[in-house]
Amino acid sequence: MKKEWLLNRKGFSVVEAVVATAIFSIIVASIMTSIFSTNRIVFFSGEKSRATFLAEEGLEATKSIRDKDFENLIDGTYGLDTQGGEWIFSGSQDIQDIFTRSITISSLNENTKKVQSTIQWTQDSEEKIVTLESRLTNWKISKMQTNRGMLVFGDGGTTSDSIKYRMYEEESGTWGSVASLADIDQTTTNKALRTARVYASEDRDEYIAISRHFNGTQQSIYAQVYNGSSWGNVQLLSSWNANTFLYAQNYDGVYLSNGDFVVIYSDFTNTPKFRVWNGTSWGVQVSMKTASTYPNFVVAKARPETKEIMVAFTGQNRRVFTQYFNGGSYTTTSWTYLQHTTSGVANTVRLADFSWSPENTSVGAMVYSEGTTRYISVKVFTANGSGGGAWSSRVNSPTQSNSSMNVMIQGREGANQFMTCYKDNKNPQQFLCFEVNSFTPTIATPTNNIITTTAVSATGVFGLDFNYAPNGLSGVVVYSDNTAIPKMRTYNPSSHIFSSAISLPSLGNTVYTNKIIVNPDSEEAMFLFGGSNRSLYSIAFDSVSGTVYTTPAGKALNTQGTNGSANTDQWYDFVWKK
């Protein structure tokens, strides 16, 4: 019996064979199901990608139809076809394989259309849809408008809330008469202007001014709207009791692709707030994501041709954090919060700045300072087209002799490149600039990158600005070297060299603050300077010749205001009409 039992164990019993077959069948079925599911995911992902491509093609086709004649964009819903190798509207929709495409056009105003490109298809017995949206303007009218600009500045010293403005005509080089903005508070006149910003709409004959005021006890932030003929719709954004950081810009604003204006600001809490102006009225105040501290400095930049916004904050606790708006509904949940540093050299300076690349509008770069490090850091953000994105790893500039403080960054058109500059904490302070190359990114040191070693040493004062000329082939930096003569250096990105210092006309008193505002549709830029006597000066720059204008009189050096709040405040701003 024992021998017979041993012999039987040499093969499988019937029961074992059945069990093995069942197990094998389960494994094969599982593998086949996995393969089938994977194929379905890839297939459906491919369908969505094709739908997105067709929606993008619809926007581009509509743009080409606009380019032939803006009058071709009549409100309604259309399909697309080609005739003689050019796009035309045809019917109410067009069929592309399994996809149905429709183009819907509606008017935002007489010179601006909203265009929606919608793709519909059936996927696994379920209706799917992809919609992309854009704005198209009457470029002939828009081109004329880019020759205009508006200057806003304080004129009440430290005792009056007076805010003035002037219109500038680039073609003739003339300034309009000085006029007043709306009275922010008719019950009092002692809310002195400390900082100001002005923004221009692409869709409407509209400007928005944001101003910060101080009455000796309370600080307030106001917004108001210019409708083409007068100022109004004054909105108190926030107010708090404090007598410090009067020069800090704890607010900023952006126009979005749908024409809405979004202002982001601090109300002296750890939760930044925002409001939306839709061209008619202000929306309610909405909270952003709560941070570890309240913001002292705010930089907001809208991603071009989208509703997405990147906001970089410098906190009271010297930390740098960002919040990204996904382009969806105006709610708290539409923002994504990320802290980038745990400390900084000071909370009295701007420790972070952000700029979208004009070459690739899905990419932006942030420069920031952390702790008492003797370098600046840069991260690149790449948007994913769906309301989100990802940050690169940080890269650091070469180590310098002193800690970095006020920082700035600007993207270059025509190349995957940014320029970043900053002021250090040396005494006297100095300005330095570095090149951010590629979107990886990497940081390089240009020749003559130390702009000056004798900068104005005062809390909150920057005195440095950099921008690329309209053609993107060269750059210009304007700065103060603690004299009455503002200086300028041009930058050649091909040779990576800053020129020697070029003296501009003397202000008659020490240069403390300055700004460069480039007109992206012409060869001109506006230089603004704040002097130690609290006066404001302007001079126009010709990027073709690389020199400032001496004629006509409006383009030459002009004194614009003589009664600003303080030489450490930027109580002025200028914007070109887009």
Side-chain angles (χ1 to χ4, degrees), residues 425-436:
N425 67 344
K426 182 183 178 182
N427 190 13
Q429 294 170 323
Q430 59 183 4
F431 294 138
L432 303 91
C433 292
F434 292 93
E435 210 175 54
V436 181

Side-chain angles (χ1 to χ4, degrees), residues 345 368-377 394 396-405 422-426 430 432 434:
V345 66
Y368 60 98
S369 173
E370 181 173 14
T372 56
T373 54
R374 291 177 290 125
Y375 53 79
I376 52 174
S377 300
R394 67 186 286 176
N396 302 324
S397 69
T399 301
Q400 305 300 306
S401 302
N402 308 282
S403 300
S404 56
M405 295 176 63
Y422 71 95
K423 182 172 74 170
D424 69 13
N425 67 344
K426 182 183 178 182
Q430 59 183 4
L432 303 91
F434 292 93

Side-chain angles (χ1 to χ4, degrees), residues 59 62 103-105 113-117 132-134 136:
L59 294 180
T62 307
I103 307 296
T104 301
I105 299 172
K113 300 285 187 177
K114 180 172 75 172
V115 180
Q116 291 180 310
S117 180
L132 298 181
E133 181 179 307
S134 183
L136 294 178

Side-chain angles (χ1 to χ4, degrees), residues 326-348:
N326 63 15
S329 58
Y330 298 124
T331 61
T332 306
T333 57
S334 293
W335 295 88
T336 300
Y337 171 87
L338 181 64
Q339 181 175 297
H340 296 266
T341 69
T342 57
S343 65
V345 66
N347 58 12
T348 55

Side-chain angles (χ1 to χ4, degrees), residues 377-550:
S377 300
V378 173
K379 286 183 179 179
V380 165
F381 179 84
T382 303
N384 59 19
S386 301
W391 288 96
S392 71
S393 300
R394 67 186 286 176
V395 294
N396 302 324
S397 69
T399 301
Q400 305 300 306
S401 302
N402 308 282
S403 300
S404 56
M405 295 176 63
N406 278 309
V407 299
M408 62 156 296
I409 192 165
Q410 180 65 46
R412 175 190 168 197
E413 187 174 355
N416 296 346
Q417 187 182 83
F418 298 85
M419 181 63 72
T420 179
C421 304
Y422 71 95
K423 182 172 74 170
D424 69 13
N425 67 344
K426 182 183 178 182
N427 190 13
Q429 294 170 323
Q430 59 183 4
F431 294 138
L432 303 91
C433 292
F434 292 93
E435 210 175 54
V436 181
N437 294 312
S438 78
F439 295 151
T440 308
T442 60
I443 297 181
T445 304
T447 302
N448 296 334
N449 79 305
I450 299 178
I451 305 302
T452 181
T453 59
T454 57
V456 176
S457 298
T459 299
V461 172
F462 201 73
L464 169 76
D465 202 0
F466 178 92
N467 217 317
Y468 283 101
N471 58 15
L473 300 179
S474 61
V476 60
V477 58
V478 174
Y479 59 97
S480 167
D481 60 356
N482 205 15
T483 70
I485 302 174
K487 304 298 192 301
M488 175 183 76
R489 292 175 185 258
T490 58
Y491 179 68
N492 186 329
S494 298
S495 60
H496 312 283
I497 297 175
F498 277 100
S499 72
S500 300
I502 301 169
S503 294
L504 302 180
S506 176
L507 306 186
N509 59 101
T510 303
V511 183
Y512 260 66
T513 59
N514 54 261
K515 288 185 179 182
I516 301 173
I517 307 94
V518 167
N519 187 340
D521 293 303
S522 78
E523 305 296 337
E524 188 167 307
M526 184 64 68
F527 293 172
L528 299 178
F529 302 99
S532 58
N533 64 348
R534 297 181 291 123
S535 291
L536 171 64
Y537 307 87
S538 69
I539 190 168
F541 171 74
D542 179 8
S543 66
V544 175
S545 64
T547 60
V548 294
Y549 286 92
T550 55

Side-chain angles (χ1 to χ4, degrees), residues 14 94 119 212 235 254 349 521 563 577:
V14 174
D94 63 279
I119 309 297
R212 177 171 169 169
Q235 175 67 59
V254 291
V349 295
D521 293 303
N563 196 20
K577 186 70 176 76

Side-chain angles (χ1 to χ4, degrees), residues 62 65 70 72-78 89 102-108 112-117 136:
T62 307
I65 294 172
F70 185 76
N72 289 333
L73 303 188
I74 301 172
D75 290 3
T77 300
Y78 307 94
F89 292 131
S102 58
I103 307 296
T104 301
I105 299 172
S106 57
S107 296
L108 294 175
T112 309
K113 300 285 187 177
K114 180 172 75 172
V115 180
Q116 291 180 310
S117 180
L136 294 178

